Amino acid sequence: MTGKPIVQFQNVKKSFDELEVLKGFDLDIMPGEKVSIIGPSGSGKTTIIRMLMTLEKPTDGEIIVDGQNLWHMESNGKWVEANEKHLSKIRGNIGMVFQHFNLFPHMTILRNCTEAPVHVLGLNKKEAEQRAKQMLAKVGLAEKEKNYPFQLSGGQKQRVAIARALVMQPKVMLFDEVTSALDPELVGEVLRVIKDLAEQGDMTMILITHEMDFAMEISDRVVFFADGYLTEEGPPEELFNNPKSDRLKSFLQRFSKV
Amino acid sequence: MDVFNWSYAAEVFPTIFRAMFVTLGITLAAFAAALVFGLVLTLLRRVKFKPVAYLVHGFIEFVRGTPVLVQLFFVYFAWPMVPVIGFKMTAVTAGIVTLGVHYSTYLSEIYRSGIESVDQGQWEASRALNFSKTKTWTKIVLPQAIPPIIPMLGNYLIVLFKETPLLMAISVNEMLMTAKNLGSQVFSFVEVYTIVGLLFLLLSYPSSLLVGYLEKRMNNRYAQKAKKVKKEDVIV
């Protein structure tokens, strides 16, 4: 993990109307790095990756993806707001898995995974299906390809959502509290898939999570956000075993003992 | 003399029956226009450039707030007199255009409700997968928005069908006009208007049953699809 960062946040701020949820933070993420973002709810964690996925626009600051500015571009020698074409070009590097899966209910599991490769990447149907089947096998759901989302459990749906994102071969994968909407007994199967992915790949991963043990296990680095600030960051062992800020100490305490 | 003369009824029936196809043709043409134009209105209302959205909204309110009959007279009699943009249409064309535009404003509301019922997450997933705006609409949003509203669209088709006698005001030879002309030849109206009423009922009642069936089917459409897939499996 050397060289240039693949994702850079530079003094990024975000407000919703009057409420400033992110009050300016810097964060560099290196290629292949697995970064978990933790913090109390309402601390703007999800907003961070939503801005990277171009689902929210930062109020201020710059986001750089693979050396290219995401929200601004040069046009006729002037620095202007990015247009849809520019956003789309950079967005192709990034994949995202959502808390509520967001599978397409009107399509089979296989179609869920081939629709974007066919209509976005321009693969032919056969290539797309080949890729999709490979990914579905990877998440252990090859035999479900002809089913519809409503026939699957939450854990299965989330694994399909992961496969669907992977088929696009992104450089950076974003996971937005992907186990929060699941029944407790289904959390494990989803985390295992993500862990496999983390172990075998040079894929960059950014995870928003409330699963502290999991974050500890798979992350190269953990970042703690509170009250709109990046409060503390470091290797997981250090952050979890030896928190410096009071804010993080009290946050971790609430997790350790029920 | 009988109130209802059966032999006279049998004599005029074929003429009225033929006029039914005029009514049907106008209904289908107007509804097709309303389906397309209604969707266009719905999409235009969502345009980011606000003046367009306001203009379209104003147009919809205007059309819905004025009677079809007035619009019909305007399009057929007044529009040709409007300088520069006005032109003359045949009565049938004017009827199709007026009914089509009028109903497009109702259908536009239905499309809107269908589109709004699509979960926000579907838009976000489409964006995350880098679908273009057009593909997001055609592959993800509309295929989810339209099936649930098909029964409601069907209801409007039936209402539109029953409104076609209005076109007799601009002398379109649909069923009612034909019946009236036949009746006034012999000053006997019971037979002709009864036939017209029965023909309307004959078409609209089964249609409303069909709409009811569609409604049930649409409510569990994914289960239906899944069943179909299972059957294909068995064959393979």
Side-chain angles (χ1 to χ4, degrees):
Chain A
M1 275 179 285
T2 49
K4 283 200 310 194
I6 188 152
V7 175
Q8 291 175 281
F9 293 89
Q10 300 176 340
N11 193 25
V12 172
K13 296 179 185 172
K14 176 67 186 177
S15 305
F16 293 102
D17 296 323
E18 296 296 292
L19 182 71
E20 192 170 42
V21 289
L22 291 166
K23 296 169 183 166
F25 72 98
D26 296 282
L27 181 63
D28 285 3
I29 292 164
M30 304 307 283
E33 201 179 7
K34 321 304 182 222
V35 176
S36 291
I37 300 176
I38 60 169
S41 32
S43 59
K45 304 180 302 276
T46 290
T47 308
I48 296 167
I49 60 173
R50 285 172 63 83
M51 289 189 296
L52 187 51
M53 193 70 261
T54 70
L55 299 174
E56 306 281 0
K57 194 176 170 188
T59 317
D60 198 7
E62 304 297 340
I63 300 176
I64 318 286
V65 178
D66 212 4
Q68 285 181 293
N69 194 308
L70 177 61
W71 286 99
H72 292 96
M73 56 185 240
E74 220 181 294
S75 170
N76 299 325
K78 268 188 276 179
W79 205 234
V80 295
E81 282 190 9
N83 58 20
E84 188 53 38
K85 196 179 155 201
H86 177 87
L87 290 175
S88 158
K89 198 178 85 195
I90 300 184
R91 200 191 287 134
N93 293 308
I94 305 167
M96 182 162 174
V97 183
F98 295 87
Q99 184 177 354
H100 296 288
F101 332 129
N102 299 346
L103 294 183
F104 305 131
H106 58 303
M107 297 178 185
T108 62
I109 299 310
L110 187 63
R111 268 289 291 286
N112 261 279
C113 298
T114 58
E115 199 68 1
V118 169
H119 293 293
V120 178
L121 302 180
L123 298 188
N124 68 40
K125 203 177 158 213
K126 219 173 161 189
E127 287 172 309
E129 284 187 352
Q130 207 174 358
R131 246 199 226 185
K133 284 179 182 184
Q134 210 179 338
M135 287 306 164
L136 285 172
K138 202 168 176 175
V139 300
L141 289 170
E143 81 282 7
K144 296 285 184 194
E145 62 168 61
K146 284 188 176 174
N147 287 103
Y148 280 83
F150 83 98
Q151 296 171 299
L152 270 53
S153 72
Q156 291 172 329
K157 282 184 199 164
Q158 197 57 296
R159 282 146 67 197
V160 172
I162 293 171
R164 180 177 72 172
L166 288 176
V167 170
M168 299 299 279
Q169 302 182 333
K171 291 182 188 156
V172 182
M173 275 282 275
L174 311 177
F175 296 87
D176 183 14
E177 301 193 24
V178 293
T179 58
S180 300
L182 297 177
D183 290 336
E185 77 269 22
L186 302 175
V187 169
E189 61 185 81
V190 173
L191 294 185
R192 263 194 301 282
V193 166
I194 298 174
K195 194 172 161 231
D196 282 350
L197 194 66
E199 278 168 358
Q200 64 189 227
D202 23 296
M203 182 173 284
T204 311
M205 293 166 64
I206 307 176
L207 303 99
I208 312 292
T209 185
H210 290 295
E211 305 280 338
M212 294 303 150
D213 295 338
F214 179 69
M216 176 114 171
E217 207 176 333
I218 74 148
S219 315
D220 300 310
R221 184 155 50 123
V222 175
V223 181
F224 175 64
F225 271 85
D227 312 318
Y229 295 103
L230 195 165
T231 309
E232 206 169 329
E233 62 172 312
E237 308 78 35
E238 202 182 303
L239 211 80
F240 287 128
N241 299 331
N242 193 13
K244 291 186 189 70
S245 62
D246 290 341
R247 199 72 181 77
L248 179 56
K249 278 178 200 162
S250 69
F251 175 73
L252 289 175
Q253 244 161 25
R254 260 175 288 151
F255 270 93
S256 54
K257 289 181 197 75
V258 179
Chain B
M1 199 178 111
D2 284 339
V3 177
F4 195 95
N5 184 336
W6 286 95
S7 68
Y8 175 64
E11 190 186 312
V12 293
F13 182 81
T15 315
I16 299 177
F17 188 73
R18 272 196 300 278
M20 183 183 80
F21 291 97
V22 175
T23 293
L24 273 177
I26 289 170
T27 304
L28 293 179
F31 193 67
L35 279 176
V36 175
F37 195 57
L39 184 59
V40 171
L41 288 177
T42 311
L43 298 180
L44 283 178
R45 273 188 77 174
R46 301 177 63 98
V47 170
K48 282 220 181 83
F49 185 59
K50 284 292 163 212
V52 172
Y54 291 141
L55 198 71
V56 171
H57 181 69
F59 175 79
I60 291 173
E61 288 303 320
F62 175 74
V63 172
R64 294 209 306 177
T66 47
V68 197
L69 192 57
V70 176
Q71 291 166 7
L72 205 55
F73 278 4
F74 186 88
V75 170
Y76 188 58
F77 297 113
W79 185 247
M81 297 176 183
V82 174
V84 189
I85 48 171
F87 56 89
K88 176 120 186 85
M89 280 176 264
T90 66
V92 171
T93 312
I96 289 171
V97 167
T98 309
L99 287 176
V101 169
H102 191 85
Y103 276 83
S104 74
T105 61
Y106 296 121
L107 300 195
S108 148
E109 275 305 299
I110 295 176
Y111 281 124
R112 192 177 62 86
S113 73
I115 290 164
E116 280 174 5
S117 70
V118 174
D119 187 71
Q120 188 59 29
Q122 296 290 308
W123 294 91
E124 295 186 349
S126 306
R127 197 160 160 86
L129 289 166
N130 218 355
F131 281 102
S132 66
K133 284 254 160 67
T134 315
K135 296 279 185 194
T136 303
W137 277 106
T138 56
K139 302 290 172 188
I140 310 299
V141 175
L142 289 180
Q144 293 181 62
I146 305 260
I149 60 168
I150 287 174
M152 279 186 274
L153 295 176
N155 276 327
Y156 271 101
L157 174 61
I158 297 170
V159 176
L160 169 61
F161 171 61
K162 291 189 294 181
E163 291 252 87
T164 51
L166 277 175
L167 300 196
M168 109 182 244
I170 55 168
S171 318
V172 173
N173 277 315
E174 42 68 62
M175 270 200 279
L176 188 64
M177 182 76 177
T178 308
K180 188 194 145 225
N181 288 344
L182 287 168
S184 23
Q185 285 166 17
V186 291
F187 295 102
S188 172
F189 293 100
V190 177
E191 298 82 358
V192 287
Y193 289 157
T194 306
I195 292 171
V196 171
L198 286 174
L199 284 177
F200 267 108
L201 183 68
L202 187 74
L203 287 167
S204 64
Y205 184 63
S207 306
S208 69
L209 291 182
L210 180 69
V211 166
Y213 167 75
L214 281 176
E215 202 162 355
K216 266 197 208 125
R217 208 184 149 86
M218 287 306 153
N219 283 341
N220 64 357
R221 62 191 182 282
Y222 296 134
Q224 296 281 349
K225 271 189 176 179
K227 235 192 235 164
K228 225 170 98 191
V229 171
K230 285 249 169 65
K231 270 187 202 148
E232 280 164 16
D233 265 355
V234 174
I235 297 164
V236 175

